[in-house]
Amino acid sequence: MKTIFIPIFVPSVARNILRTDVWKKLRQKQDLRVVLFAPSYKKDFYRKEVGAENVFFEPLDNFNDPLNKLDSFFRHLALFFVDNETIKCLRRMRLEKENNYIFYFFSWLLIKLFSNLSFLRRTARLLDYFLVRDTKLAKYFEQYKPDLVFAPHIIHACDQAFIREAKRRKIKTVGLIHSWDNLTANKSAMRINPDVLIVPNEITKREAEKLCDYPGNRIIIAGMPHFDYYFTEKPCAREAFFKRIGGDPAKRLILFAAIGKSFSDTEWQDVQIISDAIDRGDLPSDLQILVRMHPNPAAHMIDRGLKKSKTILFDVPGIQLPAPGGVSEEMLFDDMMHLYNTLFYSDIVVTIQSTMSIDASAFDKPVINVCFDGWEKKPFYDSTSVLQLHHYTHYQPILKSGGVRLAKTAEDLIASINLYLKHPELDREGRARVVKEQCWKFDGGAGKRIADAILKSLDTTI
């Protein structure tokens, strides 16, 4: 019996792996033992969900904290490997907030050096591999003697620690870029490269080759596993869905997909603008707004000033588990199907800048991106302004696709909603391009392709 290690430390990773065909296909192997590593407060939760005779669970905590000074040094050094519009925006926002021109200059210098000289990045990764030591994982490798380590969130500190330990022991490693924005928006390239890398699309493959110096012949393109639901499942009855959200099945639905107060503190104003337009008659009266939180409680918008209205509904996705310092969200099968139904029955999707633009495109739903700060006039580099979000590198293919419309004023937003309500077929080719570029193959088989890549690597272990 062969053994695979899989660390699960991010809720979206649990969604992508444990609740898709990745896990289903791995569990079909009767002669395979899987050891899942998770925070101690989630171990029993995952055990109840996916526990089986050949599935073992081990708790690991505090992996977001640097192991030592060397680990902290290399973590920070990896932030200088990437130079793009996202990094420029983030650096300028920090400058505006801290006014530290000395740091700004030297960080610019390091970024220019490491992003343009691959031998410096390769040298840094080599030193990182040899100099950073960690004994926390050694006992598990000794106990279970794994044949393969699968890192489902390869840029995460915990996954990198597993990769480092496995490579020192000559154990085969497979990494997954679990989201389309990982290599650019998260500001960090891989510190240590796995033997095999799985990516969602051609764009991410090119990014891995350029930013991570990863050889293209060891990259496998698989697609987005959590999008498999959109292809394979069927919607519930319209009446059942609207009963669940407290809406009216006779009315049309605008889905407002919030990105959260960490990125914007004026989303409530965007919702109010749409609601007021309905009340004034600038938008049809047969509309209702479903605000899908991410993951802020609905009270946040009410507390900020959003007026309560029969046209505004709130949807808080997933379940919340008690966690150190707060809560941790998990998207279970029922929650993923609820998102499916939400998109299926929405007439228009409004968001600022998020993956929901891709989700909506998969259902051929018109997408409007809000590119203004409600009623407020904020500087471009204000950390709570949405203006710079549309300049982020990972989002440029979405904007260039022709599949979404940017609303730069409240008037633009209302006009775009009215236009799409009358002509939902507009920009359909652009939405199809979004799906093709971001999902690669939208055929319901991404999860199986990821599992096949893992099992193939397991059969060719070092």
Side-chain angles (χ1 to χ4, degrees), residues 36-170:
L36 293 177
F37 294 83
S40 57
Y41 65 89
K42 283 190 176 181
K43 186 185 72 169
D44 290 339
F45 177 80
Y46 290 146
R47 187 197 304 275
K48 183 178 179 180
E49 181 182 6
V50 298
E53 183 179 354
N54 292 336
V55 179
F56 296 78
F57 298 85
E58 293 290 351
L60 279 177
D61 294 313
N62 302 320
F63 251 104
N64 282 325
D65 300 331
L67 301 170
N68 48 47
K69 290 183 178 180
L70 272 176
D71 183 37
S72 179
F73 171 78
F74 283 109
R75 281 194 191 191
H76 285 88
L77 187 62
L79 300 179
F80 299 108
F81 290 2
V82 178
D83 185 18
N84 57 29
E85 287 302 314
T86 305
I87 304 305
K88 291 176 183 177
C89 287
L90 294 173
R91 291 180 63 248
R92 184 61 185 274
M93 281 191 288
R94 181 169 180 174
L95 176 64
E96 295 293 324
K97 183 178 181 179
E98 300 177 357
N99 204 34
N100 189 338
Y101 283 86
I102 295 177
F103 176 84
Y104 185 79
F105 170 75
F106 282 104
S107 65
W108 170 83
L109 184 61
L110 286 172
I111 287 172
K112 291 302 178 182
L113 285 172
F114 279 93
S115 66
N116 287 295
L117 299 174
S118 63
F119 81 90
L120 285 180
R121 297 192 298 270
R122 295 174 189 273
T123 300
R125 290 192 183 98
L126 193 63
L127 292 173
D128 189 347
Y129 170 72
F130 281 109
L131 297 180
V132 177
R133 296 290 175 178
D134 173 35
T135 59
K136 187 181 293 186
L137 299 178
K139 64 178 182 180
Y140 300 110
F141 278 81
E142 293 294 335
Q143 177 183 352
Y144 291 103
K145 296 181 173 27
D147 299 279
L148 182 140
V149 168
F150 171 51
H153 191 2
I154 190 61
I155 66 171
H156 192 276
C158 180
D159 291 50
Q160 288 283 286
F162 273 89
I163 294 293
R164 180 186 289 109
E165 187 69 23
K167 291 181 81 69
R168 283 184 178 149
R169 296 170 179 266
K170 308 299 181 185

Side-chain angles (χ1 to χ4, degrees), residues 103-264:
F103 176 84
Y104 185 79
F105 170 75
F106 282 104
S107 65
W108 170 83
L109 184 61
L110 286 172
I111 287 172
K112 291 302 178 182
L113 285 172
F114 279 93
S115 66
N116 287 295
L117 299 174
S118 63
F119 81 90
L120 285 180
R121 297 192 298 270
R122 295 174 189 273
T123 300
R125 290 192 183 98
L126 193 63
L127 292 173
D128 189 347
Y129 170 72
F130 281 109
L131 297 180
V132 177
R133 296 290 175 178
D134 173 35
T135 59
K136 187 181 293 186
L137 299 178
K139 64 178 182 180
Y140 300 110
F141 278 81
E142 293 294 335
Q143 177 183 352
Y144 291 103
K145 296 181 173 27
D147 299 279
L148 182 140
V149 168
F150 171 51
H153 191 2
I154 190 61
I155 66 171
H156 192 276
C158 180
D159 291 50
Q160 288 283 286
F162 273 89
I163 294 293
R164 180 186 289 109
E165 187 69 23
K167 291 181 81 69
R168 283 184 178 149
R169 296 170 179 266
K170 308 299 181 185
I171 296 170
K172 192 73 172 286
T173 56
V174 177
L176 174 70
I177 302 294
H178 99 291
S179 181
W180 63 303
D181 61 352
N182 276 177
L183 295 182
T184 57
N186 287 6
K187 303 190 301 175
S188 180
M190 289 183 289
R191 289 169 58 186
I192 300 176
N193 290 340
D195 298 310
V196 175
L197 182 65
I198 307 172
V199 301
N201 53 51
E202 292 279 1
I203 297 172
T204 315
K205 178 178 184 290
R206 292 193 294 269
E207 290 172 348
E209 292 172 330
K210 179 181 178 181
L211 304 178
C212 304
D213 309 295
Y214 201 90
N217 61 353
R218 286 163 44 194
I219 297 177
I220 297 172
I221 304 175
M224 294 184 173
H226 57 296
F227 275 53
D228 288 349
Y229 284 82
Y230 300 159
F231 187 86
T232 60
E233 300 297 330
K234 301 295 181 184
C236 68
R238 183 179 179 89
E239 291 74 15
F241 169 73
F242 279 92
K243 182 179 180 180
R244 174 168 176 166
I245 65 172
D248 185 346
K251 290 186 176 183
R252 290 178 289 182
L253 183 67
I254 295 175
L255 172 63
F256 187 94
I259 62 174
K261 59 184 178 182
S262 297
F263 298 96
S264 170

Side-chain angles (χ1 to χ4, degrees), residues 5 17 39-40 50 176 208 250 264-265 267 283 288 298 304 309 366 371 428:
F5 277 8
I17 304 303
S40 57
V50 298
L176 174 70
S264 170
D265 59 2
E267 285 189 297
L283 287 174
Q288 54 199 326
R304 296 289 295 179
S309 170
C371 191
R428 177 166 288 160

Side-chain angles (χ1 to χ4, degrees), residues 321-332:
L321 303 177
V327 296
S328 178
E329 296 77 23
E330 289 284 344
M331 290 280 289
L332 301 180

